[in-house]
Amino acid sequence: MPERLVEMLLDLWTPFMILWITLPPCVHTAPANQSPVLMSGSPLELNRLSEEQRILNRSKRGWVWNQMFVLEEFSGPEPILVGRLHTDLDPGSKKIKYILSGDGAGTIFQINDITGDIHAIKRLDREEKAEYTLTAQAVDWETNKPLEPPSEFIIKVQDINDNAPEFLNGPYHATVPEMSILGTSVTNVTATDADDPVYGNSAKLVYSILEGQPYFSIEPETAIIKTALPNMDREAKEEYLVVIQAKDMGGHSGGLSGTTTLTVTLTDVNDNPPKFAQSLYHFSVPEDVVLGTAIGRVKANDQDIGENAQSSYDIIDGDGTALFEITSDAQAQDGIIRLRKPLDFETKKSYTLKVEAANVHTDPRFSSRGPFKDTATVKIVVEDADEPPVFSSPTYLLEVHENAALNSVIGQVTARDPDITSSPIRFSIDRHTDLERQFNINADDGKITLATPLDRELSVWHNITIIATEIRNHSQISRVPVAIKVLDVNDNAPEFASEYEAFLCENGKPGQVIQTVSAMDKDDPQNGHYFLYSLLPEMVNNPNFTIKKNEVIVVLFVTLRRHKNEPLIIKDDEDVRENIIRYDDEGGGEEDTEAFDIATLQNPDGINGFLPRKDIKPDLQFMPRQGLAPVPNGVDVDEFINVRLHEADNDPTAPPYDSIQIYGYEGRGSVAGSLSSLESTTSDSDQNFDYLSDWGPRFKRLGELYSVGESDKET
């Protein structure tokens, strides 16, 4: 038998032996009809009580049971004796038989039916079953009749320290912020022991750290892990492995132990400022770079991670703060320098910027570590680029009289190369804008001359496009629109408005007006037209006819010229109703043809057989064209037509002008037609009134009067 097991058995036997020796006899007294019971594991037997004692005591059952105990995990060569059953009815003549039933009877526990000894015939494990309930009975050996009622007792399995502590949830992981103070709680772990926590120290656990010192410590009884060093830096070491041990028997020698691991990760705090990788950055950029283009990137490194490493970038000083900007790239955590305004190599060739990177999120606990920002210098060099020529004006407006001589200079355009090399410029006319080739330009000095005669009465405005091309680099070209206004000269004779044919009755009276004539002139003098009328020389001496300028007519012409410039829409402050004239006189009906002219009612403006046009010429006389996009050599007819069509659609100065005509009659624009008989100039035979017969009996007579049959039509 192993020494350890012997020691444990002696520990168990000793208290029972002492118990039987020290207890007073009255504790174990029993009536005459009862027998003493052999306690579990005890080699001692109680003596029979005296007759006097039996008389004084109350009668009880013949069995007095206490719990029996058996050690777990016992594996000796022979079955282990658990206890012995005995009754005082047994005179020793071997006529009594002991019977055992219940949990494990016959399989785990076996009884000697003669002596009553109970043995455990199998190895027991308290962690599987801690106690067994059995029933004992004494019967007659020959008849098997019960000598006494059955009695129940319990056999408890005595625990030994045969189970080591276990960490059921390991391995463990925990986090703690870096730079934490000493004694900051990290986590706690728990181990379990399957041994009996009530008996002995088999399940009393004590915790300790085998690995992970001096960074962490553990409470021996509660297993709470804490930091053992202050200000642990994540940037120096981020992860720690801690080995934890749990030992039973209160941690004494000979106790069983179990271990687990705990991985502690230091979480980041913002305890480090951003730092530029270099103090000076150099970038170069062409002067013709597109606005918004990224010129370069600067980066400030931060040893922290996540949002603690986020930095914002700004330009805080320098001579290019208005031309450049810097934005933060949240993904790469760097600053992107972009162009805000155009660059000009000829004006300034380099710029110096001072940029700053600052943490977005700061922790006031670490403000004493200094400002969480850093600065760097950025030098940007502007590179020269071949730029196109630049005209002295974005548009040009020239004027020329319509009688100007051919090859006369109308005006001049100028352009220069903004580059340092200053290439010579050659000028040309975009012939897509001058298909009639009415103008020429001097290729060297940009003077525009007249190539064909001009006629203001045909076209007042001419819009052409001038092209400036660098001689050293023909790909560098610029365009500018030139508007040419043709000025009027008195080069047209007056013309009569129409062919006149006058009629005179033979009884005409002297001074009677025979015909009123008017004239027109295609020219447009500033002070207006003034015509002198006279008869032909062969008619001067004719005493029958004279011509006279009618000043009333003069007033009329003046009024018309003034009326042309007045607005055509009634102003808001005028009331149309003020222009309505009321007449209270009553006419004679349709039969009264003497009072007024019927045709006047039909169309007051059409008495003379025509409606006068009131063309409104726009006040705007010039709208320069926009420059055309570059086109290849040769004439593109389709493009030319589209361009000219677009210009005509958007040019309010181009004829035909808006014309306002007044219609004073009714019925022409209505689907139903006019209801007035004044306009019924057509004969009844041209109209069909057959539909009146479909309107019912009330209109039958009216239909007969107006309806026309086939025979009537033939007639």
Side-chain angles (χ1 to χ4, degrees):
M1 183 181 296
E3 294 182 1
R4 177 61 184 162
L5 185 57
V6 173
E7 293 178 0
M8 296 177 63
L9 289 174
L10 290 176
D11 291 341
L12 294 174
W13 281 103
T14 302
F16 289 108
M17 292 169 60
I18 296 174
L19 177 63
W20 283 102
I21 295 173
T22 58
L23 285 177
C26 62
V27 175
H28 301 284
T29 57
N33 59 350
Q34 289 184 350
S35 298
V37 178
L38 184 67
M39 298 303 295
S40 172
S42 174
L44 302 178
E45 181 179 5
L46 292 177
N47 294 325
R48 185 177 298 275
L49 299 177
S50 64
E51 288 292 332
E52 293 79 10
Q53 289 175 326
R54 289 203 304 270
I55 296 173
L56 294 175
N57 287 283
R58 184 162 53 92
S59 177
K60 295 183 180 180
R61 296 177 53 191
W63 299 94
V64 177
W65 296 103
N66 287 316
Q67 294 178 348
M68 293 184 181
F69 296 88
V70 60
L71 284 175
E72 67 169 336
E73 305 293 346
F74 182 78
S75 59
E78 300 294 335
I80 183 173
L81 178 63
V82 179
R84 176 178 296 173
L85 302 179
H86 187 72
T87 177
D88 55 358
L89 298 178
D90 185 2
S93 59
K94 300 183 180 180
K95 292 183 179 181
I96 296 177
K97 182 170 61 175
Y98 295 98
I99 299 175
L100 186 66
S101 62
D103 292 344
T107 58
I108 298 176
F109 302 102
Q110 207 172 48
I111 189 170
N112 188 318
D113 54 1
I114 298 175
T115 62
D117 292 341
I118 300 174
H119 291 85
I121 60 177
K122 285 187 176 181
R123 183 176 180 177
L124 301 177
D125 188 353
R126 189 198 68 84
E127 286 69 41
E128 291 183 3
K129 192 172 179 64
E131 59 182 34
Y132 298 85
T133 302
L134 298 100
T135 302
Q137 192 173 25
V139 300
D140 185 85
W141 182 269
E142 295 178 351
T143 64
N144 284 333
K145 292 183 179 181
L147 299 178
E148 290 184 358
S151 296
E152 188 178 84
F153 67 98
I154 297 174
I155 298 178
K156 287 191 174 182
V157 181
Q158 195 76 34
D159 182 50
I160 63 173
N161 190 17
D162 60 340
N163 292 280
E166 294 182 355
F167 292 92
L168 301 180
N169 298 323
Y172 298 89
H173 296 271
T175 60
V176 64
E178 65 171 332
M179 311 305 292
S180 296
I181 62 174
L182 178 66
T184 301
S185 177
V186 179
T187 187
N188 70 314
V189 297
T190 303
T192 60
D193 196 316
D195 293 326
D196 190 355
V198 178
Y199 177 78
N201 294 327
S202 298
K204 185 178 181 181
L205 305 181
V206 174
Y207 298 91
S208 61
I209 291 180
L210 301 182
E211 295 181 19
Q213 295 173 336
Y215 305 105
F216 302 96
S217 63
I218 189 171
E219 292 287 342
E221 296 181 358
T222 62
I224 297 176
I225 295 98
K226 299 180 179 180
T227 57
L229 288 178
N231 301 328
M232 285 189 289
D233 192 0
R234 185 199 65 84
E235 288 72 35
K237 186 176 182 180
E238 184 176 6
E239 194 172 88
Y240 296 83
L241 181 64
V242 182
V243 179
I244 302 171
Q245 174 185 266
K247 188 174 184 180
D248 59 13
M249 297 300 292
H252 294 115
S253 176
L256 303 179
S257 64
T259 60
T260 188
T261 59
L262 168 65
T263 302
V264 180
T265 302
L266 298 183
T267 58
D268 185 59
V269 298
N270 191 7
D271 59 337
N272 293 281
K275 184 69 176 178
F276 279 103
Q278 56 195 75
S279 59
L280 180 61
Y281 293 86
H282 291 275
F283 300 109
S284 59
V285 55
E287 63 174 328
D288 59 351
V289 68
V290 180
L291 298 183
T293 302
I295 296 174
R297 291 174 176 257
V298 296
K299 184 175 181 62
N301 298 315
D302 196 319
Q303 296 182 8
D304 297 321
I305 58 175
E307 67 175 15
N308 295 322
Q310 292 181 359
S311 297
S312 62
Y313 295 85
D314 291 293
I315 299 176
I316 60 175
D317 197 7
D319 55 0
T321 56
L323 278 75
F324 302 94
E325 64 180 359
I326 187 169
T327 58
S328 302
D329 187 343
Q331 209 62 12
Q333 288 297 316
D334 53 7
I336 306 173
I337 301 176
R338 300 181 185 275
L339 183 65
R340 292 179 57 189
K341 294 183 179 180
L343 298 173
D344 187 5
F345 173 81
E346 290 71 28
T347 303
K348 190 171 177 61
K349 298 178 177 58
S350 65
Y351 297 89
T352 301
L353 305 176
K354 186 177 183 180
V355 297
E356 178 185 79
N359 276 154
V360 177
H361 307 282
T362 58
D363 194 332
R365 295 177 299 173
F366 309 105
S367 58
S368 60
R369 291 174 174 260
F372 284 77
K373 59 180 66 176
D374 193 22
T375 59
T377 302
V378 178
K379 289 188 175 294
I380 301 175
V381 176
V382 181
E383 297 177 345
D384 188 24
D386 194 1
E387 299 176 272
V390 177
F391 282 96
S392 59
S393 176
T395 59
Y396 290 88
L397 174 60
L398 306 178
E399 293 183 346
V400 57
H401 286 89
E402 59 179 328
N403 62 348
L406 297 181
N407 298 323
S408 60
V409 177
I410 299 174
Q412 183 179 15
V413 297
T414 58
R416 64 178 182 85
D417 183 4
D419 300 320
I420 294 181
T421 56
S422 187
S423 171
I425 304 299
R426 181 174 295 277
F427 299 95
S428 62
I429 297 178
D430 185 353
R431 291 304 176 182
H432 290 86
T433 61
D434 184 28
L435 293 178
E436 293 83 5
R437 295 183 175 269
Q438 293 182 287
F439 306 96
N440 289 326
I441 190 171
N442 189 301
D444 298 325
D445 58 14
K447 291 182 178 179
I448 301 173
T449 57
L450 186 63
T452 61
L454 299 176
D455 188 352
R456 189 202 67 84
E457 287 69 40
L458 295 178
S459 180
V460 179
W461 290 97
H462 296 273
N463 297 314
I464 62 175
T465 299
I466 303 300
I467 301 174
T469 306
E470 289 187 11
I471 295 179
R472 297 175 184 173
N473 186 356
H474 292 174
S475 63
Q476 296 295 337
I477 62 174
S478 297
R479 298 170 180 268
V480 68
V482 178
I484 302 174
K485 182 179 181 180
V486 181
L487 302 179
D488 183 51
V489 296
N490 191 8
D491 59 346
N492 291 278
E495 298 177 0
F496 285 102
S498 64
E499 294 290 336
Y500 296 101
E501 186 177 3
F503 296 94
L504 176 63
C505 296
E506 60 180 350
N507 57 352
K509 299 178 180 180
Q512 179 180 349
V513 177
I514 301 175
Q515 181 71 50
T516 301
V517 298
S518 62
M520 57 182 296
D521 195 327
K522 295 180 181 179
D523 295 324
D524 188 17
Q526 295 182 355
N527 298 325
H529 293 289
Y530 186 83
F531 300 121
L532 295 177
Y533 297 90
S534 62
L535 293 174
L536 293 176
E538 58 269 22
M539 296 292 295
V540 172
N541 297 324
N542 191 332
N544 296 321
F545 302 97
T546 59
I547 188 169
K548 180 181 179 181
K549 186 173 181 180
N550 194 341
E551 300 295 336
V552 178
I553 301 299
V554 173
V555 174
L556 177 61
F557 275 101
V558 173
T559 304
L560 288 176
R561 286 187 59 82
R562 185 181 301 112
H563 181 67
K564 289 175 60 176
N565 294 328
E566 291 179 353
L568 301 177
I569 301 175
I570 300 175
K571 297 182 180 179
D572 295 336
D573 55 354
E574 294 182 0
D575 194 342
V576 178
R577 292 171 296 182
E578 297 177 357
N579 298 325
I580 298 177
I581 301 175
R582 181 177 178 181
Y583 296 94
D584 292 329
D585 57 327
E586 187 175 48
E590 296 182 359
E591 296 180 356
D592 185 3
T593 60
E594 300 296 334
F596 51 84
D597 188 357
I598 299 282
T600 303
L601 296 178
Q602 294 176 350
N603 189 354
D605 292 330
I607 300 175
N608 296 327
F610 67 92
L611 294 176
R613 291 178 57 89
K614 295 184 179 181
D615 291 346
I616 303 302
K617 191 174 182 181
D619 294 334
L620 179 63
Q621 296 296 320
F622 166 68
M623 178 176 289
R625 292 197 199 96
Q626 298 296 327
L628 298 176
V631 295
N633 293 332
V635 177
D636 188 341
V637 177
D638 182 63
E639 180 183 359
F640 169 73
I641 293 175
N642 291 331
V643 171
R644 301 294 281 193
L645 179 60
H646 176 74
E647 292 176 353
D649 290 341
N650 293 276
D651 188 358
T653 65
Y657 306 118
D658 293 337
S659 178
I660 298 177
Q661 299 192 29
I662 300 175
Y663 297 90
Y665 58 93
E666 64 177 278
R668 293 297 177 101
S670 173
V671 177
S674 176
L675 298 179
S676 174
S677 61
L678 297 178
E679 196 182 3
S680 302
T681 58
T682 58
S683 65
D684 295 342
S685 61
D686 295 334
Q687 303 183 35
N688 186 4
F689 298 93
D690 293 339
Y691 62 90
L692 294 176
S693 60
D694 298 331
W695 287 11
R698 296 184 179 181
F699 297 89
K700 183 178 179 181
R701 180 58 180 167
L702 186 62
E704 293 175 355
L705 295 174
Y706 284 88
S707 298
V708 180
E710 293 296 327
S711 60
D712 296 331
K713 292 181 179 179
E714 294 176 359
T715 304

